[in-house]
Amino acid sequence: MTLDIQKIRADFPVLDQQVNGSPLIYFDNAATTQKPKSVIDALSHYYASDNANIHRGIHALAERATTAFELTRTKIKEFINAPSSDQIILTAGTTGSINLVAQTFGRANFSKGDKILISNLEHHSNIVPWQMIAEEKGAVIEVIPVDERGVLDLEAYRNLLDTSVKLVAVNHVSNAIGTINPIAEMIQLAHVHGAKVMIDGAQSIAHLDIDVQALDIDFFAFSAHKLFGPTGVGVLYGKRELLESMPPYQGGGEMIKEVSFDGTTYNELPYKFEAGTPNIADVIAFSAAIDYVNALSKEALFTQELALLAYATEQLSTIPGLRIIGTAPEKIAVISFVMDGIHPQDLGVLLDKFGIAIRTGHHCVQPLMKRFELPGTCRASFAFYNTFEEIDLFVKALRRSINMLQ
Amino acid sequence: MAQSIQETQEELIEEFGLFDDWADKYEYLIDLGKKLPSLSDDLKTEENVIKGCQSRVWLHAEKQGDQIVFEADSEAVIVKGLISMLIRVLSNHTAEEIMKADLYFIDQFGMSQHLAQTRSNGLLSMVKQMKNYALAFSAK
């Protein structure tokens, strides 16, 4: 299946605009993806027609809202091939999902001297929640190193694994440099030593096929907004026996079975972990994003993105003094780069004047920037709606910006 | 007598008014950044770093007579150009003049929308820090 990119672009209203007098070129997809019109319409339709609080109401609106809400859960289950919908916990985002696991699984399972393995590629969201619970429990965090290309050192990983490792928490894909980590192999190795594995899928969910059962993942987290859905919705998948054994996280409505002043019994999965009124509208609209991706061929989307990556890498390599950071053989469509003698922020400011949105800075991975001895990078990240012409315009604007700054 | 803070702002607005094109404005700003003398390494201390900027910015102030003199530096040249303008406007004035100064020139550049949010937080942090120095010196 070949994609009709112009037809696809017409589905994303935000792309059709001028920024600072030039057509918008949106290359900040790793930060958040744009939304198809069907998602925007679903959001507005929900508030215009169905708005009601879910699960407890007996009236028609509550019924419709509940059905639509739970339908999203089913679609998520199918999207990542989870065995059952009640293993899909809806959260506020990837960060919320990771904190949930740290505060429940971590609180119940970590003790003094236990090890948590993370990697040098992690986003702060997959570092800080572990530091917080490790400090509380006296557990120790150890870090899997990366090489010059930004590839995890699997030999070092093997050496770090032993029976004191309770959890391995790594990202599937690096947000800053695009490396795809060999999670199948890493999970298998962790399981040999009895360690559980939490995969931060924030950057892989829109760019790789995810099958949580085939990969034997214990916990998988991602955000809807990086999969063309609304902000404020996240997913936590967990294996049933793990989720059932974990204590609840936040207390409140929805998560209880019975409350008395003598004590409370908790609801079943997934509601045990979903205290309070959830983000109903955005969860329902997320359904439209999943439908959108499913209606196109995932393989065709990924092929388009990799072609953009290859072309951009080739074009950027022709600029003297430009260095690409992150040259792993397996990457998604993310390019981080630095320019000799020019601060990334200056390039970001000037590219914005050309209507081009990239990200500059440390990308919430300060330890990785330290590893490469850089204050930050410029990062261009693509989605299937980006075009080769946009890359040409970007490279042209980049050359002009460099000339202005040198 | 040295010119007032308001006069310098008017002068800058006039200088930038000469450019129609954004690229020319930015080239001028970059040029200002390049011309601002670098801060010596012993003044690039953690203490002098202004928080809230995407690039590191250092600001140093000292009192000469009844006037405050600012020196500053940044890793990013556009930010350095902005600092250069702030120094031109605020340096060599008394603490009271600096504290009272209404810096309207930033809004009149046709750059304020561009420097909004994350980046101007850096710019606003710089102004705030300069005024803090003035306050600290006036208390002495």
Side-chain angles (χ1 to χ4, degrees), chain B residues 52-74:
Chain B
C53 309
Q54 209 186 78
S55 50
R56 277 194 296 177
V57 176
W58 297 270
L59 176 68
H60 172 72
E62 59 184 44
K63 207 167 176 186
Q64 292 180 4
D66 65 344
Q67 296 191 329
I68 297 173
V69 176
F70 292 107
E71 285 179 276
D73 207 343
S74 170

Side-chain angles (χ1 to χ4, degrees), chain B:
Chain B
M1 172 164 171
Q3 62 183 10
S4 71
I5 286 175
Q6 190 180 342
E7 282 163 353
T8 316
Q9 294 195 76
E10 290 300 329
E11 199 176 85
L12 278 166
I13 290 165
E14 203 184 311
E15 278 172 32
F16 273 81
L18 298 173
F19 307 116
D20 299 328
D21 186 11
W22 72 264
D24 294 338
K25 278 186 195 175
Y26 272 79
E27 267 168 0
Y28 187 60
L29 195 58
I30 290 164
D31 200 41
L32 289 178
K34 285 181 177 166
K35 280 182 184 151
L36 184 73
S38 295
L39 207 56
S40 63
D41 281 345
D42 60 311
L43 291 177
K44 286 185 181 175
T45 59
E46 262 316 295
E47 234 180 22
N48 283 340
V49 169
I50 299 175
K51 305 278 185 279
C53 309
Q54 209 186 78
S55 50
R56 277 194 296 177
V57 176
W58 297 270
L59 176 68
H60 172 72
E62 59 184 44
K63 207 167 176 186
Q64 292 180 4
D66 65 344
Q67 296 191 329
I68 297 173
V69 176
F70 292 107
E71 285 179 276
D73 207 343
S74 170
E75 298 167 325
V77 71
I78 294 173
V79 173
K80 212 171 154 181
L82 294 168
I83 299 172
S84 160
M85 293 193 295
L86 286 176
I87 289 180
R88 190 163 139 198
V89 172
L90 291 179
S91 201
N92 296 302
H93 285 280
T94 65
E96 203 195 340
E97 285 166 346
I98 293 165
M99 283 189 291
K100 274 199 208 152
D102 169 25
L103 298 176
Y104 59 90
F105 79 103
I106 298 167
D107 290 331
Q108 299 208 5
F109 271 171
M111 282 190 191
S112 60
Q113 91 282 5
H114 166 69
L115 292 164
Q117 302 300 323
T118 53
R119 292 177 202 119
S120 89
N121 285 343
L123 193 65
L124 293 178
S125 308
M126 280 183 241
V127 173
K128 196 174 155 195
Q129 193 56 32
M130 289 170 117
K131 292 199 171 201
N132 280 346
Y133 270 119
L135 183 68
F137 280 123
S138 69
K140 275 177 192 169

Side-chain angles (χ1 to χ4, degrees), chain A residues 64-78 85 283-284 287 290-291:
Chain A
R64 288 210 296 265
T66 305
T67 305
F69 185 88
E70 290 302 327
L71 180 64
T72 301
R73 202 190 300 275
T74 307
K75 285 183 185 169
I76 296 167
K77 174 210 124 183
E78 284 159 7
S85 295
V283 167
I284 289 172
S287 189
I290 297 174
D291 289 344

